[in-house]
Amino acid sequence: MKALILVGGFGTRLRPLTLSVPKPLVDFGNKPMILHQIEALKEVGVTEVVLAINYQPEVMLNFLKDFESKLGIKITCSQETEPLGTAGPLALARDKLADGSGDPFFVLNSDVISEYPFAELIQFHKSHGGEATIMVTKVDEPSKYGVVVMEEETDKVERFVEKPKVFVGNKINAGIYLLNPSVLDRIELKPTSIEKEVFPRIAADNGLFAMVLPGFWMDIGQPRDYITGLRLYLDSLRKKAPAKLASGAHVLGNVLVHETAVIGEGCLIGPDVAVGPGCVVEAGVRLSRCTVMRGARVKKHACISSSIIGWHSTVGMWARVENMTILGEDVHVCDEVYSNGGVVLPHKEIKSSILKPEIVM
């Protein structure tokens, strides 16, 4: 089986992290976002993953070459010269996806984090015999999204309603699809939306079915959702693989600490924290609802909450970093500095406090 991951554009909503690497390579739960997806695809027998990309393909491929051999899966790029929307990339990669086997192929949005129940999805797709399956997830506020209206008994999709003003349902497209190769014949090589143009046509032909995603789901393409997604991901690890989480007197709730990270005396870490490879957390530090990425250092008695600390950054002694502060790569916050929602571009030194949310260039 094959899979296409829609990597797409510049990841502007996750800047300043995406100024250093393409968005799918930003760490989430101590490994690049896209690796969560590739590992799950490999588990259900996918042999080739095609990345649909229009930005820095060489950076992505160089990085993923290591994982190709480790995971034993082929990773290739299909590069757009102009943005092709969410369906155009399928037409561009047609030769890679339609290999003559007749097997369905996966399509994923690269921002989506979930438990990736791909085995159940394959089973469901085979059972209904339709042309395409989309995964849907239930949300509390459907008016912010495009809602999928489906027949409860048959799981057949009837129609899509964009940002409904009145309640028509609470299931939205989760950005995970399993499609028969015949879907490729419906797509022209031009900018096209799979959600607004292709799926409604398949639904009109009674060939589109929806499976409700079990477990959690989050689009982690922006910082606030990234932090929420981390909480949901760690919750899921607690249920499925609790041994991966840290434990001890200094740990509160769900915490993921890489084996190469060093944690000092008298720290309190958690809930919902990820500490990446090679990080140093000195004595007396308080961390909650945050990610500390590879090679970062948090000095004595600093306090970090609801923030993202980028690669190789430093937070000084007695510093306080909170309220969706995002430090890009190699940012140095000096001792006793306060950051309230500062978004700091890479390679900066912060010598004075950031008292209200602002971008520091």
Side-chain angles (χ1 to χ4, degrees):
M1 284 182 86
K2 303 203 168 167
L4 179 87
I5 300 180
L6 296 164
V7 174
F10 299 103
T12 50
R13 295 178 305 163
L14 264 189
R15 284 180 182 160
L17 301 168
T18 48
L19 296 173
S20 299
V21 297
K23 182 169 56 180
L25 300 185
V26 170
D27 294 333
F28 176 84
N30 290 351
K31 60 186 166 192
M33 281 183 198
I34 201 165
L35 211 52
H36 292 273
Q37 297 184 330
I38 294 174
E39 286 173 352
L41 288 165
K42 164 77 177 144
E43 258 176 53
V44 293
V46 169
T47 52
E48 183 176 350
V49 175
V50 182
L51 307 177
I53 188 167
N54 59 25
Y55 170 62
Q56 292 186 322
E58 46 300 312
V59 180
M60 288 281 290
L61 278 181
N62 291 342
F63 181 86
L64 292 166
K65 276 286 166 268
D66 300 347
F67 292 104
E68 251 193 336
S69 45
K70 269 185 209 156
L71 294 171
I73 191 168
K74 186 176 175 192
I75 301 171
T76 56
C77 266
S78 170
Q79 191 185 358
E80 307 164 29
T81 47
E82 57 164 342
L84 288 172
T86 49
L90 278 72
L92 189 64
R94 178 191 305 263
D95 297 344
K96 293 184 171 171
L97 297 171
D99 53 4
S101 68
D103 285 341
F105 58 89
F106 289 97
V107 178
L108 310 181
N109 287 346
S110 67
D111 294 356
V112 167
I113 191 90
S114 76
E115 285 170 7
Y116 306 121
F118 295 147
E120 294 96 310
L121 179 56
I122 294 169
Q123 211 51 50
F124 177 83
H125 184 75
K126 284 180 177 159
S127 71
H128 66 64
E131 194 175 1
T133 302
I134 65 175
M135 285 204 128
V136 293
T137 184
K138 293 179 178 174
V139 291
D140 295 336
E141 280 188 67
S143 60
K144 295 195 316 200
Y145 303 93
V147 171
V148 180
V149 181
M150 51 195 273
E151 289 176 9
E152 293 301 326
E153 297 76 49
T154 59
D155 297 315
K156 189 182 285 181
V157 174
E158 292 177 349
R159 61 199 167 102
F160 297 84
V161 183
E162 194 55 42
K163 299 190 174 156
K165 297 276 183 288
V166 294
F167 185 84
V168 290
N170 65 344
K171 298 182 187 79
I172 65 163
N173 179 346
I176 299 171
Y177 320 128
L178 190 56
L179 312 177
N180 287 353
S182 58
V183 171
L184 294 169
D185 301 331
R186 295 175 175 269
I187 303 169
E188 292 177 54
L189 184 52
K190 62 177 193 189
T192 316
S193 161
I194 200 165
E195 301 86 356
K196 292 183 178 143
E197 295 172 68
V198 181
F199 287 155
R201 291 204 294 268
I202 302 174
D205 294 341
N206 295 316
L208 185 63
F209 291 78
M211 173 181 160
V212 178
L213 180 80
F216 77 97
W217 175 89
M218 199 72 210
D219 175 332
I220 53 172
Q222 49 194 354
R224 200 167 289 280
D225 296 337
Y226 176 106
I227 296 284
T228 304
L230 183 65
R231 173 174 62 78
L232 297 171
Y233 170 69
L234 294 176
D235 272 350
S236 160
L237 273 189
R238 170 69 65 200
K239 293 186 193 98
K240 297 203 154 179
K244 290 183 177 172
L245 295 173
S247 56
H250 63 293
V251 172
L252 195 64
N254 298 333
V255 173
L256 192 62
V257 176
H258 194 271
E259 61 210 13
T260 58
V262 179
I263 308 286
E265 291 289 307
C267 293
L268 186 57
I269 297 181
D272 309 322
V273 172
V275 179
C279 289
V280 177
V281 177
E282 295 183 5
V285 164
R286 176 75 181 101
L287 303 177
S288 64
R289 292 182 304 283
C290 65
T291 285
V292 182
M293 291 186 183
R294 184 183 63 250
R297 177 180 284 266
V298 183
K299 295 190 174 173
K300 288 176 187 164
H301 307 294
C303 177
I304 301 171
S305 69
S306 302
S307 297
I308 301 173
I309 308 301
W311 309 272
H312 307 290
S313 289
T314 311
V315 174
M317 286 196 289
W318 296 101
R320 187 179 183 96
V321 171
E322 63 187 25
N323 189 22
M324 286 297 142
T325 291
I326 305 167
L327 306 185
E329 181 181 19
D330 180 42
V331 167
H332 301 285
V333 175
C334 294
D335 293 352
E336 298 178 29
V337 163
Y338 171 57
S339 170
N340 173 21
V343 173
V344 186
L345 272 62
H347 315 298
K348 298 289 296 178
E349 186 176 28
I350 302 296
K351 292 178 176 166
S352 56
S353 290
I354 301 167
L355 299 178
K356 61 180 197 304
E358 62 173 301
I359 295 171
V360 179
M361 311 226 0

PDB file of all heavy atoms in Angstrom, residues 320-346:
ATOM      1  N   ARG A 320      11.009  33.828  33.980  1.00  0.00           N
ATOM      2  CA  ARG A 320       9.637  33.309  33.944  1.00  0.00           C
ATOM      3  C   ARG A 320       9.105  33.454  32.518  1.00  0.00           C
ATOM      4  O   ARG A 320       9.068  34.561  31.966  1.00  0.00           O
ATOM      5  CB  ARG A 320       8.762  34.086  34.927  1.00  0.00           C
ATOM      6  CG  ARG A 320       7.382  33.508  35.083  1.00  0.00           C
ATOM      7  CD  ARG A 320       6.559  34.300  36.101  1.00  0.00           C
ATOM      8  NE  ARG A 320       5.251  33.660  36.262  1.00  0.00           N
ATOM      9  CZ  ARG A 320       4.967  32.795  37.231  1.00  0.00           C
ATOM     10  NH1 ARG A 320       5.881  32.448  38.117  1.00  0.00           N
ATOM     11  NH2 ARG A 320       3.749  32.269  37.309  1.00  0.00           N
ATOM     12  N   VAL A 321       8.705  32.327  31.945  1.00  0.00           N
ATOM     13  CA  VAL A 321       8.276  32.295  30.537  1.00  0.00           C
ATOM     14  C   VAL A 321       6.889  31.659  30.509  1.00  0.00           C
ATOM     15  O   VAL A 321       6.717  30.519  30.952  1.00  0.00           O
ATOM     16  CB  VAL A 321       9.294  31.451  29.724  1.00  0.00           C
ATOM     17  CG1 VAL A 321       8.785  31.200  28.315  1.00  0.00           C
ATOM     18  CG2 VAL A 321      10.654  32.141  29.694  1.00  0.00           C
ATOM     19  N   GLU A 322       5.890  32.412  30.003  1.00  0.00           N
ATOM     20  CA  GLU A 322       4.519  31.884  30.080  1.00  0.00           C
ATOM     21  C   GLU A 322       3.616  32.461  28.991  1.00  0.00           C
ATOM     22  O   GLU A 322       4.053  33.249  28.151  1.00  0.00           O
ATOM     23  CB  GLU A 322       3.932  32.177  31.472  1.00  0.00           C
ATOM     24  CG  GLU A 322       3.803  33.655  31.789  1.00  0.00           C
ATOM     25  CD  GLU A 322       3.371  33.924  33.241  1.00  0.00           C
ATOM     26  OE1 GLU A 322       3.616  33.079  34.127  1.00  0.00           O
ATOM     27  OE2 GLU A 322       2.790  34.994  33.472  1.00  0.00           O
ATOM     28  N   ASN A 323       2.341  32.005  29.017  1.00  0.00           N
ATOM     29  CA  ASN A 323       1.286  32.562  28.165  1.00  0.00           C
ATOM     30  C   ASN A 323       1.619  32.494  26.671  1.00  0.00           C
ATOM     31  O   ASN A 323       1.625  33.500  25.975  1.00  0.00           O
ATOM     32  CB  ASN A 323       0.975  34.011  28.598  1.00  0.00           C
ATOM     33  CG  ASN A 323      -0.261  34.540  27.894  1.00  0.00           C
ATOM     34  OD1 ASN A 323      -1.095  33.755  27.426  1.00  0.00           O
ATOM     35  ND2 ASN A 323      -0.378  35.846  27.799  1.00  0.00           N
ATOM     36  N   MET A 324       1.899  31.280  26.187  1.00  0.00           N
ATOM     37  CA  MET A 324       2.160  31.058  24.752  1.00  0.00           C
ATOM     38  C   MET A 324       3.395  31.804  24.257  1.00  0.00           C
ATOM     39  O   MET A 324       3.413  32.322  23.139  1.00  0.00           O
ATOM     40  CB  MET A 324       0.953  31.490  23.886  1.00  0.00           C
ATOM     41  CG  MET A 324      -0.207  30.541  23.963  1.00  0.00           C
ATOM     42  SD  MET A 324       0.253  28.933  23.316  1.00  0.00           S
ATOM     43  CE  MET A 324      -0.609  27.894  24.435  1.00  0.00           C
ATOM     44  N   THR A 325       4.404  31.875  25.085  1.00  0.00           N
ATOM     45  CA  THR A 325       5.699  32.358  24.592  1.00  0.00           C
ATOM     46  C   THR A 325       6.264  31.275  23.664  1.00  0.00           C
ATOM     47  O   THR A 325       6.192  30.092  23.977  1.00  0.00           O
ATOM     48  CB  THR A 325       6.671  32.587  25.768  1.00  0.00           C
ATOM     49  OG1 THR A 325       6.207  33.715  26.534  1.00  0.00           O
ATOM     50  CG2 THR A 325       8.083  32.874  25.284  1.00  0.00           C
ATOM     51  N   ILE A 326       6.794  31.701  22.528  1.00  0.00           N
ATOM     52  CA  ILE A 326       7.436  30.745  21.629  1.00  0.00           C
ATOM     53  C   ILE A 326       8.831  31.255  21.310  1.00  0.00           C
ATOM     54  O   ILE A 326       8.993  32.359  20.760  1.00  0.00           O
ATOM     55  CB  ILE A 326       6.649  30.578  20.319  1.00  0.00           C
ATOM     56  CG1 ILE A 326       5.218  30.185  20.649  1.00  0.00           C
ATOM     57  CG2 ILE A 326       7.271  29.493  19.447  1.00  0.00           C
ATOM     58  CD1 ILE A 326       4.316  30.289  19.493  1.00  0.00           C
ATOM     59  N   LEU A 327       9.824  30.490  21.693  1.00  0.00           N
ATOM     60  CA  LEU A 327      11.202  30.852  21.381  1.00  0.00           C
ATOM     61  C   LEU A 327      11.629  30.054  20.157  1.00  0.00           C
ATOM     62  O   LEU A 327      11.544  28.825  20.151  1.00  0.00           O
ATOM     63  CB  LEU A 327      12.125  30.516  22.561  1.00  0.00           C
ATOM     64  CG  LEU A 327      11.746  31.084  23.935  1.00  0.00           C
ATOM     65  CD1 LEU A 327      12.835  30.742  24.956  1.00  0.00           C
ATOM     66  CD2 LEU A 327      11.528  32.596  23.883  1.00  0.00           C
ATOM     67  N   GLY A 328      12.079  30.762  19.112  1.00  0.00           N
ATOM     68  CA  GLY A 328      12.618  30.069  17.942  1.00  0.00           C
ATOM     69  C   GLY A 328      13.935  29.378  18.293  1.00  0.00           C
ATOM     70  O   GLY A 328      14.330  29.318  19.463  1.00  0.00           O
ATOM     71  N   GLU A 329      14.600  28.880  17.287  1.00  0.00           N
ATOM     72  CA  GLU A 329      15.866  28.175  17.517  1.00  0.00           C
ATOM     73  C   GLU A 329      16.930  29.137  18.062  1.00  0.00           C
ATOM     74  O   GLU A 329      17.017  30.286  17.630  1.00  0.00           O
ATOM     75  CB  GLU A 329      16.343  27.593  16.173  1.00  0.00           C
ATOM     76  CG  GLU A 329      17.638  26.826  16.274  1.00  0.00           C
ATOM     77  CD  GLU A 329      18.090  26.276  14.932  1.00  0.00           C
ATOM     78  OE1 GLU A 329      17.628  26.772  13.878  1.00  0.00           O
ATOM     79  OE2 GLU A 329      18.909  25.363  14.942  1.00  0.00           O
ATOM     80  N   ASP A 330      17.729  28.660  19.039  1.00  0.00           N
ATOM     81  CA  ASP A 330      18.902  29.397  19.515  1.00  0.00           C
ATOM     82  C   ASP A 330      18.546  30.797  20.029  1.00  0.00           C
ATOM     83  O   ASP A 330      19.161  31.789  19.668  1.00  0.00           O
ATOM     84  CB  ASP A 330      19.932  29.473  18.359  1.00  0.00           C
ATOM     85  CG  ASP A 330      21.201  30.214  18.741  1.00  0.00           C
ATOM     86  OD1 ASP A 330      21.689  29.998  19.861  1.00  0.00           O
ATOM     87  OD2 ASP A 330      21.687  31.014  17.919  1.00  0.00           O
ATOM     88  N   VAL A 331      17.511  30.847  20.878  1.00  0.00           N
ATOM     89  CA  VAL A 331      17.139  32.117  21.530  1.00  0.00           C
ATOM     90  C   VAL A 331      17.630  32.057  22.972  1.00  0.00           C
ATOM     91  O   VAL A 331      17.546  31.015  23.619  1.00  0.00           O
ATOM     92  CB  VAL A 331      15.607  32.325  21.508  1.00  0.00           C
ATOM     93  CG1 VAL A 331      15.186  33.459  22.438  1.00  0.00           C
ATOM     94  CG2 VAL A 331      15.141  32.607  20.088  1.00  0.00           C
ATOM     95  N   HIS A 332      18.154  33.165  23.472  1.00  0.00           N
ATOM     96  CA  HIS A 332      18.686  33.160  24.833  1.00  0.00           C
ATOM     97  C   HIS A 332      17.961  34.203  25.677  1.00  0.00           C
ATOM     98  O   HIS A 332      18.072  35.408  25.431  1.00  0.00           O
ATOM     99  CB  HIS A 332      20.199  33.391  24.800  1.00  0.00           C
ATOM    100  CG  HIS A 332      20.867  32.321  23.992  1.00  0.00           C
ATOM    101  ND1 HIS A 332      21.049  31.045  24.467  1.00  0.00           N
ATOM    102  CD2 HIS A 332      21.293  32.318  22.703  1.00  0.00           C
ATOM    103  CE1 HIS A 332      21.594  30.303  23.509  1.00  0.00           C
ATOM    104  NE2 HIS A 332      21.738  31.047  22.434  1.00  0.00           N
ATOM    105  N   VAL A 333      17.201  33.717  26.646  1.00  0.00           N
ATOM    106  CA  VAL A 333      16.485  34.584  27.579  1.00  0.00           C
ATOM    107  C   VAL A 333      17.401  34.764  28.789  1.00  0.00           C
ATOM    108  O   VAL A 333      17.807  33.791  29.424  1.00  0.00           O
ATOM    109  CB  VAL A 333      15.148  33.933  28.009  1.00  0.00           C
ATOM    110  CG1 VAL A 333      14.453  34.774  29.076  1.00  0.00           C
ATOM    111  CG2 VAL A 333      14.239  33.748  26.790  1.00  0.00           C
ATOM    112  N   CYS A 334      17.745  36.001  29.102  1.00  0.00           N
ATOM    113  CA  CYS A 334      18.712  36.259  30.179  1.00  0.00           C
ATOM    114  C   CYS A 334      18.095  36.011  31.560  1.00  0.00           C
ATOM    115  O   CYS A 334      16.877  35.852  31.698  1.00  0.00           O
ATOM    116  CB  CYS A 334      19.231  37.699  30.069  1.00  0.00           C
ATOM    117  SG  CYS A 334      20.205  37.934  28.572  1.00  0.00           S
ATOM    118  N   ASP A 335      18.959  35.982  32.574  1.00  0.00           N
ATOM    119  CA  ASP A 335      18.514  35.722  33.945  1.00  0.00           C
ATOM    120  C   ASP A 335      17.451  36.734  34.380  1.00  0.00           C
ATOM    121  O   ASP A 335      17.539  37.926  34.033  1.00  0.00           O
ATOM    122  CB  ASP A 335      19.705  35.815  34.916  1.00  0.00           C
ATOM    123  CG  ASP A 335      20.727  34.699  34.683  1.00  0.00           C
ATOM    124  OD1 ASP A 335      20.428  33.780  33.890  1.00  0.00           O
ATOM    125  OD2 ASP A 335      21.815  34.760  35.283  1.00  0.00           O
ATOM    126  N   GLU A 336      16.474  36.250  35.113  1.00  0.00           N
ATOM    127  CA  GLU A 336      15.445  37.083  35.748  1.00  0.00           C
ATOM    128  C   GLU A 336      14.556  37.854  34.772  1.00  0.00           C
ATOM    129  O   GLU A 336      13.881  38.803  35.152  1.00  0.00           O
ATOM    130  CB  GLU A 336      16.093  38.048  36.770  1.00  0.00           C
ATOM    131  CG  GLU A 336      16.794  37.303  37.896  1.00  0.00           C
ATOM    132  CD  GLU A 336      17.490  38.221  38.885  1.00  0.00           C
ATOM    133  OE1 GLU A 336      17.030  39.357  39.060  1.00  0.00           O
ATOM    134  OE2 GLU A 336      18.498  37.791  39.485  1.00  0.00           O
ATOM    135  N   VAL A 337      14.550  37.447  33.519  1.00  0.00           N
ATOM    136  CA  VAL A 337      13.690  38.111  32.524  1.00  0.00           C
ATOM    137  C   VAL A 337      12.313  37.430  32.535  1.00  0.00           C
ATOM    138  O   VAL A 337      12.192  36.228  32.760  1.00  0.00           O
ATOM    139  CB  VAL A 337      14.335  38.025  31.122  1.00  0.00           C
ATOM    140  CG1 VAL A 337      13.328  38.316  30.012  1.00  0.00           C
ATOM    141  CG2 VAL A 337      15.504  39.002  31.032  1.00  0.00           C
ATOM    142  N   TYR A 338      11.265  38.229  32.282  1.00  0.00           N
ATOM    143  CA  TYR A 338       9.888  37.723  32.223  1.00  0.00           C
ATOM    144  C   TYR A 338       9.391  37.814  30.783  1.00  0.00           C
ATOM    145  O   TYR A 338       9.563  38.852  30.132  1.00  0.00           O
ATOM    146  CB  TYR A 338       9.004  38.567  33.143  1.00  0.00           C
ATOM    147  CG  TYR A 338       7.520  38.295  33.023  1.00  0.00           C
ATOM    148  CD1 TYR A 338       7.009  37.014  33.232  1.00  0.00           C
ATOM    149  CD2 TYR A 338       6.622  39.316  32.718  1.00  0.00           C
ATOM    150  CE1 TYR A 338       5.640  36.758  33.137  1.00  0.00           C
ATOM    151  CE2 TYR A 338       5.253  39.076  32.627  1.00  0.00           C
ATOM    152  CZ  TYR A 338       4.771  37.786  32.833  1.00  0.00           C
ATOM    153  OH  TYR A 338       3.422  37.545  32.732  1.00  0.00           O
ATOM    154  N   SER A 339       8.793  36.736  30.267  1.00  0.00           N
ATOM    155  CA  SER A 339       8.168  36.800  28.939  1.00  0.00           C
ATOM    156  C   SER A 339       6.710  36.402  29.034  1.00  0.00           C
ATOM    157  O   SER A 339       6.381  35.267  29.385  1.00  0.00           O
ATOM    158  CB  SER A 339       8.875  35.883  27.942  1.00  0.00           C
ATOM    159  OG  SER A 339       8.096  35.816  26.746  1.00  0.00           O
ATOM    160  N   ASN A 340       5.834  37.344  28.707  1.00  0.00           N
ATOM    161  CA  ASN A 340       4.393  37.112  28.689  1.00  0.00           C
ATOM    162  C   ASN A 340       3.933  37.048  27.229  1.00  0.00           C
ATOM    163  O   ASN A 340       3.590  38.053  26.630  1.00  0.00           O
ATOM    164  CB  ASN A 340       3.703  38.255  29.439  1.00  0.00           C
ATOM    165  CG  ASN A 340       2.187  38.191  29.322  1.00  0.00           C
ATOM    166  OD1 ASN A 340       1.625  37.150  29.028  1.00  0.00           O
ATOM    167  ND2 ASN A 340       1.529  39.324  29.542  1.00  0.00           N
ATOM    168  N   GLY A 341       3.992  35.852  26.655  1.00  0.00           N
ATOM    169  CA  GLY A 341       3.503  35.685  25.279  1.00  0.00           C
ATOM    170  C   GLY A 341       4.421  36.242  24.202  1.00  0.00           C
ATOM    171  O   GLY A 341       3.973  36.568  23.105  1.00  0.00           O
ATOM    172  N   GLY A 342       5.710  36.350  24.507  1.00  0.00           N
ATOM    173  CA  GLY A 342       6.650  36.810  23.476  1.00  0.00           C
ATOM    174  C   GLY A 342       6.850  35.740  22.404  1.00  0.00           C
ATOM    175  O   GLY A 342       6.960  34.555  22.718  1.00  0.00           O
ATOM    176  N   VAL A 343       6.859  36.161  21.141  1.00  0.00           N
ATOM    177  CA  VAL A 343       7.176  35.250  20.034  1.00  0.00           C
ATOM    178  C   VAL A 343       8.514  35.718  19.473  1.00  0.00           C
ATOM    179  O   VAL A 343       8.598  36.810  18.902  1.00  0.00           O
ATOM    180  CB  VAL A 343       6.063  35.292  18.964  1.00  0.00           C
ATOM    181  CG1 VAL A 343       6.461  34.500  17.736  1.00  0.00           C
ATOM    182  CG2 VAL A 343       4.756  34.757  19.546  1.00  0.00           C
ATOM    183  N   VAL A 344       9.561  34.936  19.695  1.00  0.00           N
ATOM    184  CA  VAL A 344      10.921  35.424  19.456  1.00  0.00           C
ATOM    185  C   VAL A 344      11.561  34.678  18.287  1.00  0.00           C
ATOM    186  O   VAL A 344      11.641  33.447  18.296  1.00  0.00           O
ATOM    187  CB  VAL A 344      11.787  35.256  20.725  1.00  0.00           C
ATOM    188  CG1 VAL A 344      13.150  35.894  20.516  1.00  0.00           C
ATOM    189  CG2 VAL A 344      11.089  35.875  21.946  1.00  0.00           C
ATOM    190  N   LEU A 345      12.009  35.443  17.290  1.00  0.00           N
ATOM    191  CA  LEU A 345      12.629  34.835  16.113  1.00  0.00           C
ATOM    192  C   LEU A 345      13.997  34.242  16.465  1.00  0.00           C
ATOM    193  O   LEU A 345      14.593  34.615  17.472  1.00  0.00           O
ATOM    194  CB  LEU A 345      12.752  35.875  14.996  1.00  0.00           C
ATOM    195  CG  LEU A 345      11.494  35.959  14.104  1.00  0.00           C
ATOM    196  CD1 LEU A 345      10.270  36.391  14.873  1.00  0.00           C
ATOM    197  CD2 LEU A 345      11.718  36.860  12.908  1.00  0.00           C
ATOM    198  N   PRO A 346      14.485  33.305  15.621  1.00  0.00           N
ATOM    199  CA  PRO A 346      15.730  32.596  15.955  1.00  0.00           C
ATOM    200  C   PRO A 346      16.927  33.527  16.194  1.00  0.00           C
ATOM    201  O   PRO A 346      16.968  34.659  15.682  1.00  0.00           O
ATOM    202  CB  PRO A 346      15.978  31.729  14.715  1.00  0.00           C
ATOM    203  CG  PRO A 346      14.634  31.540  14.099  1.00  0.00           C
ATOM    204  CD  PRO A 346      13.887  32.806  14.375  1.00  0.00           C
TER     205      PRO A 346
END
